[in-house]
Amino acid sequence: NHVDPHHFLFEDLPDSTWFHFWPTYTQSNFKASTLYDPYASEYDRKKFNEGWFVEDMPDFDQDNPFLATYLIQNTIWWVEQFDLHGIRIDTYTYPDQSFMKKLNKAMLDNYPDMALFGETWVHQTTTQSYFVGNSRTRGGDDNYHYSVTDFQVAFGIRNAVTEDFGWTEGVSDLYYALAKDVVYPEPEKHVTFFDNHDLERLYGIADKNLDKLHQGIALLMTLRGTPCLLYGTELLMAGTENHGKIREDMPGGWKGDSIDKFNSENWSTEERATIELIQNLQQCRTENQDLFNQGKMVQFIPNKGVYAYGRIHNGKTLLVILNTGREEHSIDYGKYKELIQNKREAQNIVTQELVQLKTNDKLAASGFVVLFFD
C-alpha cells in the first residue's frame, strides 16, 4: 500500500503514475465500508483508496500495470530468497482490491500451501468479511484471500474479560461476534488474537488481573481460528501508553539488561503459571489437531457472565466454561449434554489432572475450566 518517502521508487520515480498524487496532501478517510456500501459516494471511495495513510507514507497506485507486476514479482522474490511459508499483508484493506486479487492468485498459483492473511483493522463483521474470498458480503466473488486478522473476535475477547456482562456487553460481545461467522465460508482460517503490536496489552487493560489474562489466553487457544500470541504476553507485559511501551524489549535480549527472562530460573510465580497455561493449551491443540481443525464448534448463550462453548469430532470433545461475572457459579453439566453426553470423567487441560464431574462443582468469579473428553 505504501513505502517510506526515502524509498528509491519514490525518490527516483519510474514515472509519475506509480503513486497517488493530489494537488495538496490528502489522507485516507480510513472507511473501508466505502468499498461495498451501495450508497457510497465516488468522492469518499476515491479518498479511501487513494488517500495516503499518513503524510510520510507515499501511497502506491496499483492501477499502473508496471507497478503491479513489480509488486507481484518482488513478493515472489522474497518467498524464494528466504523460503517463506506465510505472509501477513499489512493494511490489507487500503490497496486497490482488484490488484490484491491478482497478487493473491499469483501467490497461490506458485505456492498452493502458502498461508496468506491480511491485516483488516476494521470495526464491523460486514466490513471484515468483504476482504474474505467467497464471503456473503462479496456475493460469492473469490479474491483468493481466505484468512484475515480477526479484529471482531479480538474486540470480543477484550470486552469479555474487561467489561461487565450485559445484553450486548462483556462476553456477550464475543458471543455475537462468533454468531456472525455465518457470513464467512471458512472462519476457522482466520488469525485470532487479543492484542498485537498496535493495541494496548490485554494484561494492562485488565488492570493487571492475572485471572482475566488467563481467561483471555484460554479463549484464544480454544476458539476457532489460528491463535496468534504477542511476544511478552507470557511475561505479563502490560503496556498501554504508546507503541514504544506496547512493543517494549524482551528482558534479557539486550546487553546490559538487568534480568534475563530467557532463563526460566528468572520467571516469577505468575509468569511461570502463565507460561505453563499456554504450554498445556498448546499441547492439547497439537495432540488433537483433528478436533481443532475439523471439529464442530457449539456455543451457548452467555447467562449472568457465564459463557460456555465446545468442540466435538470423532468421539473427542472439548468443553470450555468461563465465569466472567463477579459471583461464584454452580456448573450444570446437564446443560452441555449435546457435547459431553453422559460422560463424567475428563482431563482438566489447565491442571493436567483427570477429574470426575460432580453436581456440586463450582466456578469462581473470573475463573474458567477447559475439559477434554476422549
Side-chain angles (χ1 to χ4, degrees), residues 84-298:
L84 304 182
H85 297 269
I87 299 176
R88 172 195 177 276
I89 305 174
D90 189 58
T91 57
Y92 185 91
T93 65
Y94 294 92
D96 180 82
Q97 292 301 303
S98 61
F99 162 74
M100 295 307 297
K101 183 174 181 177
K102 294 175 186 175
L103 172 65
N104 297 335
K105 187 175 187 303
M107 297 309 297
L108 294 179
D109 283 347
N110 284 281
Y111 312 101
D113 297 325
M114 172 67 68
L116 296 173
F117 66 101
E119 181 207 16
T120 51
W121 190 348
V122 296
H123 294 270
Q124 290 184 329
T125 299
T126 307
T127 308
Q128 183 170 284
S129 68
Y130 179 76
F131 301 98
V132 178
N134 294 316
S135 69
R136 294 192 179 189
T137 315
R138 298 187 65 86
D141 175 49
D142 189 359
N143 65 353
Y144 307 99
H145 180 245
Y146 312 113
S147 177
V148 294
T149 52
D150 200 332
F151 273 84
Q152 312 322 303
V153 168
F155 297 145
I157 295 176
R158 289 162 73 88
N159 291 340
V161 302
T162 61
E163 290 183 354
D164 286 335
F165 171 74
W167 188 256
T168 58
E169 297 79 26
V171 75
S172 293
D173 184 56
L174 175 60
Y175 165 79
Y176 285 119
L178 290 165
K180 293 172 186 175
D181 276 357
V182 65
V183 302
Y184 302 113
E186 298 176 287
E188 63 274 9
K189 289 188 175 180
H190 295 181
V191 174
T192 53
F193 57 101
F194 51 61
D195 56 21
N196 64 15
H197 61 289
D198 287 323
L199 295 175
E200 304 96 330
R201 296 267 184 174
L202 182 63
Y203 191 49
I205 63 173
D207 296 325
K208 297 185 179 180
N209 184 311
L210 191 66
D211 291 335
K212 291 183 176 183
L213 174 64
H214 286 185
Q215 279 193 329
I217 291 171
L219 285 165
L220 179 63
M221 299 297 288
T222 56
L223 286 171
R224 62 99 175 118
T226 301
C228 182
L229 273 170
L230 181 62
Y231 78 93
T233 298
E234 73 283 11
L235 298 179
L236 310 184
M237 288 187 178
T240 60
E241 298 84 1
N242 52 59
H243 283 182
K245 187 62 177 172
I246 292 169
R247 307 172 190 182
E248 66 181 295
D249 294 338
M250 287 286 285
W254 305 88
K255 263 186 188 177
D257 282 354
S258 59
I259 191 168
D260 180 10
K261 291 294 184 177
F262 290 94
N263 184 341
S264 61
E265 293 180 0
N266 294 323
W267 296 344
S268 69
T269 301
E270 293 80 8
E271 290 166 351
R272 188 176 302 278
T274 305
I275 291 168
E276 289 177 354
L277 172 63
I278 295 170
Q279 289 174 333
N280 290 341
L281 292 169
Q282 180 56 45
Q283 182 179 355
C284 181
R285 291 183 67 95
T286 302
E287 293 177 350
N288 301 281
Q289 293 185 39
D290 55 340
L291 179 63
F292 283 91
N293 295 337
Q294 304 166 42
K296 174 186 176 182
M297 181 173 162
V298 177

